[in-house]
Amino acid sequence: MWTDCLTWIPRRCCRVSYALSPGWRSLPALLSFQRTGTHNPWLLYLLQQESSSTELRTECAVVLGSLAMGTENNVKSLLDCHIIPALLQGLLSPDLRFIEACLRCLRTIFISPVTPEDLLYTDATVISHLMALLGRSRYTQEYICQIFSHCCKGPDHQTILFNHGAVQSIAHLLVSTSYKVRMQALKCFSVLAFENPQVSMTLVNVSVDGELLPQIFVKMLQRDKPIEMQLTSAKCLTSMCRAGAIRTDDPCIVLKTLPCLVRMCSKERLLEERVEGAETLAYLIETDVELQRIASISDHLIAMLADYFKYPSSVSAITDIKRLDHDLKHAHELRQAAFKLYASLGANDEDIRKKIIETENMMDRIVNGLSESSLKVRLAAVRCLHSLSRSVQQLRTSFQDHAVWKPLMKVLQNAPNEILIVASSTLCNLLLEFSPSKEPILESGAIELLCSLTQSENLALRVNGIWALMNMAFQAEQKIKADILRGLSTEQLFQLLSDSDVNVLMKTLGLLRNLLSTRPHIDHIMSTHGKQIMQAVTLILEGEHNIEVKEQTLCILANIADGTTAKELIMTNDDILQKIKYYMSHSNAKLQLAAMFCISNLIWNEEEGSQERQDKLRDMGIVDILHKLSQSSDPNLCDKAKTALQQYLA
């Protein structure tokens, strides 16, 4: 494979009297060559010798770069020989041609998937020196931007480059006379701005030759520009929009970026372009209802995406093996992209969801996607299902017709956390009271699965586990409620009530509220768990919690007060009664109202023992507070107070 370049080496190096055995034709052999007892790899040794001529050192960098273009094993061998520090040292040379050769080799090594990106950031002075080299030539500009775009992975790298002035240093390269330089600078901005508000907010105010960067990006979206440039410009504008630097209703998004990305999804584009276009569009419209609606009616997009599932084409229709190999390579990526875009399109609008589900074989494709070998496709399929599961109508029809709960339950068995999170969110929707899937899911052992999720170290899984149980308990039979309490155990339930995350706490309180509904259920649960529940309620009302948490806790007390025998657990607990009295006079109307629901349920005069309860509460000063609240300017408080006072007059 490397015969030509290796047979060339001895001719170039003969003047320094190094001979290369004709039998050595492999990279390990070349790198393991030893000279006069030293163990330095031969080419790297020559590269680093200042006594070597600049021309020789330059040719060594060129050959090393050629070797790096081979297999991944070649790159690994080069990395093992510490080629990166040697090349970075070469960048200190005053010779431009040598610098360019070192940068070209570094670029080739860093774009390899086996090279750790962090190697670029081990020495803080490296980034500063690379920034300084940007002005040397168009080749240094091209290679350095390419290195940055491949090595910028995540917020830490973005921050380092941003703090070293990457935005200002690279911005003027967008108007370079070299297409390659413009393209690499554009790619650099697309990775710098991705999910980074700081960079995006800076970009929107930077100008080059009197023109703001967003305007330059829009010009690069024009149809007469290369597809690569259109796509990358759209990615830059998309990131800036998602970061809040550009409004979603800005003409550059609605009239330029979105239509460009829709165009990229058409059959006329290459498969890889269709993948990138769909994924970027999915990200652009993910959280904005209006953009979702505009996209859904643009160029028959929903129907167009159905074509993404038709690769590879049927074998009988393919005569070109290369075409088949190409289709197979991109088939998974196409399905993943289509599922992602369908998920974004259907995130909010019921009509769009209906159109998606009515698309050719859509539900079958989702069901098949849930069992694909590719993790990324499975994840995208679950996200699509989750998006569509927000539809009440589809839960009752298409989801039931295709029994999607079955493959979903399989997905939940031993899946990675990223899939478990989305799948359990979907299950939450399938467990709503109007979903026909609720009963078969219960019968399939979902309670045990969901209870195990509440013990997860992953916050999102804990939230989803308790959320699904909360939905399951809503208007459920007593047996189901008992199974939930048995599956959770009292210890786990109160562990969740002391969770540091407010979402876990709120969903656990919601579960308790749903469990404590209908009098027979309230009395039964309080007869077995009353002491622990009252203790938990006390702790929450005394703790430093927000208004919503305390309101939910008071509503649980109101439910307990509605029980026949359970209300005695409140009436015999003076501490709880004093807390209810305190919240009746609280400055927050929501807490006052929730506390009054407790009082109303306790004093309702049609129930046994009401007179004794009324007398006790009167002695505590509750009636005086009710009289004050009956004069409240808040109509809800006023009406509730008057209703409660009537129980004393009846």
Side-chain angles (χ1 to χ4, degrees):
M1 181 175 180
W2 301 106
T3 302
D4 291 343
C5 73
L6 293 181
T7 53
W8 166 85
I9 292 170
R11 293 202 301 274
R12 298 294 301 170
C13 299
C14 61
R15 37 193 157 153
V16 286
S17 303
Y18 291 107
L20 183 62
S21 166
W24 288 3
R25 292 292 182 265
S26 69
L27 177 62
L30 180 64
L31 292 177
S32 62
F33 183 89
Q34 297 177 10
R35 173 185 178 272
T36 61
T38 66
H39 296 275
N40 292 324
W42 184 57
L43 285 173
L44 284 175
Y45 176 80
L46 291 176
L47 179 78
Q48 296 175 88
Q49 289 305 299
E50 292 185 8
S51 59
S52 300
S53 69
T54 302
E55 183 183 4
L56 176 60
R57 296 172 74 194
T58 301
E59 297 296 355
C60 287
V62 170
V63 175
L64 289 166
S66 297
L67 294 170
M69 290 180 183
T71 65
E72 291 182 359
N73 284 334
N74 283 13
V75 178
K76 288 178 182 176
S77 297
L78 290 167
L79 291 172
D80 290 342
C81 294
H82 307 291
I83 189 174
I84 289 179
L87 291 168
L88 291 174
Q89 186 68 28
L91 299 181
L92 299 174
S93 168
D95 187 89
L96 179 58
R97 188 165 173 267
F98 179 50
I99 289 172
E100 290 173 348
C102 289
L103 282 172
R104 189 184 303 113
C105 187
L106 279 168
R107 179 272 314 267
T108 304
I109 290 169
F110 273 119
I111 65 176
S112 170
V114 301
T115 306
E117 298 85 9
D118 285 334
L119 289 176
L120 183 67
Y121 305 95
T122 50
D123 184 342
T125 62
V126 169
I127 302 299
S128 298
H129 190 62
L130 289 173
M131 292 294 179
L133 291 174
L134 274 171
R136 294 294 299 273
S137 73
R138 69 182 180 90
Y139 294 111
T140 63
Q141 292 168 349
E142 176 190 342
Y143 303 147
I144 290 171
C145 284
Q146 199 168 359
I147 289 169
F148 285 163
S149 62
H150 277 276
C151 294
C152 186
K153 307 289 185 184
D156 290 343
H157 295 165
Q158 289 171 328
T159 299
I160 292 171
L161 293 174
F162 179 81
N163 289 342
H164 279 84
V167 171
Q168 290 74 18
S169 298
I170 297 171
H172 73 279
L173 302 183
L174 292 171
V175 295
S176 168
T177 55
S178 165
Y179 171 77
K180 288 184 177 180
V181 171
R182 293 200 306 275
M183 198 60 239
Q184 293 306 327
L186 193 58
K187 287 182 177 179
C188 221
F189 281 130
S190 75
V191 296
L192 278 170
F194 182 66
E195 294 184 341
N196 193 308
Q198 183 184 30
V199 174
S200 295
M201 292 294 185
T202 302
L203 287 180
V204 81
N205 294 312
V206 172
S207 63
V208 179
D209 294 343
E211 197 167 26
L212 290 170
L213 286 193
Q215 295 172 322
I216 295 174
F217 293 149
V218 168
K219 284 185 177 180
M220 291 177 165
L221 287 175
Q222 292 174 1
R223 292 172 184 252
D224 62 340
K225 296 294 188 290
I227 296 300
E228 179 187 32
M229 180 172 280
Q230 291 184 49
L231 259 173
T232 313
S233 300
K235 288 173 77 172
C236 290
L237 289 164
T238 293
S239 292
M240 293 167 73
C241 179
R242 284 299 306 268
I246 301 175
R247 289 169 55 95
T248 56
D249 59 355
D250 191 295
C252 78
I253 298 297
V254 178
L255 303 179
K256 299 292 183 180
T257 308
L258 188 149
C260 171
L261 292 171
V262 172
R263 285 200 309 274
M264 297 302 147
C265 299
S266 68
K267 289 183 179 181
E268 288 71 33
R269 301 268 55 86
L270 298 175
L271 298 188
E272 46 267 52
E273 293 166 355
R274 298 176 75 184
V275 168
E276 194 169 1
E279 292 199 338
T280 307
L281 181 56
Y283 180 55
L284 174 65
I285 69 174
E286 185 178 16
T287 59
D288 190 86
V289 179
E290 192 55 35
L291 288 181
Q292 291 159 10
R293 288 173 181 158
I294 294 169
S296 72
I297 58 173
S298 298
D299 203 15
H300 307 287
L301 178 63
I302 291 176
M304 191 193 302
L305 287 175
D307 189 64
Y308 279 47
F309 296 95
K310 297 177 181 177
Y311 294 89
S313 307
S314 60
V315 177
S316 60
I318 292 181
T319 56
D320 186 349
I321 297 299
K322 286 186 177 179
R323 159 81 185 282
L324 176 60
D325 184 59
H326 180 262
D327 287 5
L328 284 169
K329 179 182 177 183
H330 291 287
H332 285 150
E333 294 175 354
L334 283 162
R335 290 197 291 278
Q336 177 190 346
F339 281 137
K340 281 184 178 179
L341 186 44
Y342 276 137
S344 290
L345 284 165
N348 294 287
D349 191 280
E350 185 69 21
D351 291 335
I352 297 175
R353 293 188 195 112
K354 188 172 184 292
K355 288 178 184 177
I356 292 172
I357 287 177
E358 289 174 352
T359 303
E360 178 186 3
N361 301 323
M362 190 62 212
M363 291 305 295
D364 289 332
R365 284 168 175 156
I366 294 174
V367 169
N368 291 335
L370 294 176
S371 57
E372 284 230 16
S373 58
S374 166
L375 175 66
K376 290 182 178 179
V377 176
R378 287 207 310 276
L379 178 58
V382 173
R383 281 182 175 155
C384 184
L385 188 66
H386 179 234
S387 179
L388 299 176
S389 72
R390 297 181 179 126
S391 166
V392 175
Q393 181 184 356
Q394 302 309 328
L395 282 175
R396 288 174 170 166
T397 54
S398 301
F399 276 53
Q400 183 65 8
D401 295 341
H402 292 81
V404 296
W405 65 269
K406 291 182 180 179
L408 184 65
M409 290 297 290
K410 287 182 180 178
V411 168
L412 284 161
Q413 308 296 327
N414 302 316
N417 276 1
E418 57 184 337
I419 288 183
L420 271 179
I421 290 167
V422 187
S424 54
S425 290
T426 309
L427 194 63
C428 287
N429 291 342
L430 267 63
L431 286 169
L432 291 167
E433 78 278 6
F434 48 75
S435 169
S437 303
K438 182 174 182 176
E439 188 173 339
I441 289 173
L442 282 167
E443 293 171 355
S444 69
I447 291 178
E448 183 180 353
L449 170 69
L450 295 172
C451 288
S452 68
L453 290 183
T454 67
Q455 300 178 39
S456 172
E457 292 182 3
N458 183 284
L459 173 60
L461 288 178
R462 289 205 306 281
V463 170
N464 287 348
I466 201 69
W467 196 340
L469 289 171
M470 182 185 79
N471 288 350
M472 189 182 287
F474 184 73
Q475 295 183 352
E477 299 174 0
Q478 186 168 319
K479 180 185 180 302
I480 293 171
K481 293 181 178 180
D483 288 343
I484 291 172
L485 281 169
R486 193 179 304 112
L488 266 184
S489 80
T490 306
E491 182 182 351
Q492 176 60 13
L493 182 63
F494 294 109
Q495 185 72 32
L496 292 166
L497 285 171
S498 59
D499 198 288
S500 59
D501 183 79
V502 69
N503 289 322
V504 173
L505 178 55
M506 282 294 287
K507 293 298 180 289
T508 308
L509 290 171
L511 169 62
L512 265 179
R513 191 173 172 183
N514 286 348
L515 290 171
L516 294 167
S517 61
T518 72
R519 286 180 179 175
H521 298 175
I522 294 168
D523 291 335
H524 176 75
I525 291 171
M526 292 305 291
S527 68
T528 55
H529 298 84
K531 181 180 178 181
Q532 297 93 328
I533 290 174
M534 295 302 289
Q535 183 182 0
V537 165
T538 302
L539 289 172
I540 292 171
L541 290 177
E542 288 177 348
E544 295 294 324
H545 296 289
N546 63 34
I547 297 298
E548 287 71 23
V549 167
K550 294 198 172 184
E551 180 190 17
Q552 189 83 306
T553 307
L554 287 168
C555 287
I556 289 171
L557 274 180
N559 283 13
I560 295 170
D562 193 42
T564 302
T565 57
K567 55 168 51 81
E568 289 307 311
L569 288 166
I570 297 176
M571 292 304 301
T572 56
N573 189 324
D574 289 341
D575 188 23
I576 286 289
L577 288 174
Q578 288 296 332
K579 284 177 171 53
I580 294 172
K581 177 183 176 182
Y582 166 77
Y583 284 108
M584 286 180 71
S585 301
H586 198 276
S587 58
N588 185 277
K590 288 183 177 180
L591 297 183
Q592 286 180 289
L593 197 59
M596 277 205 291
F597 272 109
C598 297
I599 296 299
S600 293
N601 286 344
L602 290 172
I603 64 175
W604 204 255
N605 57 30
E606 294 177 1
E607 296 172 3
E608 186 178 350
S610 61
Q611 188 61 53
E612 290 81 0
R613 290 191 293 275
Q614 286 180 6
D615 291 343
K616 181 171 182 176
L617 293 173
R618 179 188 285 110
D619 293 342
M620 287 179 58
I622 295 296
V623 174
D624 294 336
I625 298 174
L626 288 174
H627 278 297
K628 289 180 182 178
L629 291 173
S630 67
Q631 307 299 317
S632 171
S633 58
D634 185 310
N636 290 326
L637 284 176
C638 179
D639 291 346
K640 196 66 183 174
K642 288 178 179 178
T643 302
L645 286 170
Q646 287 174 2
Q647 300 304 308
Y648 278 93
L649 299 174

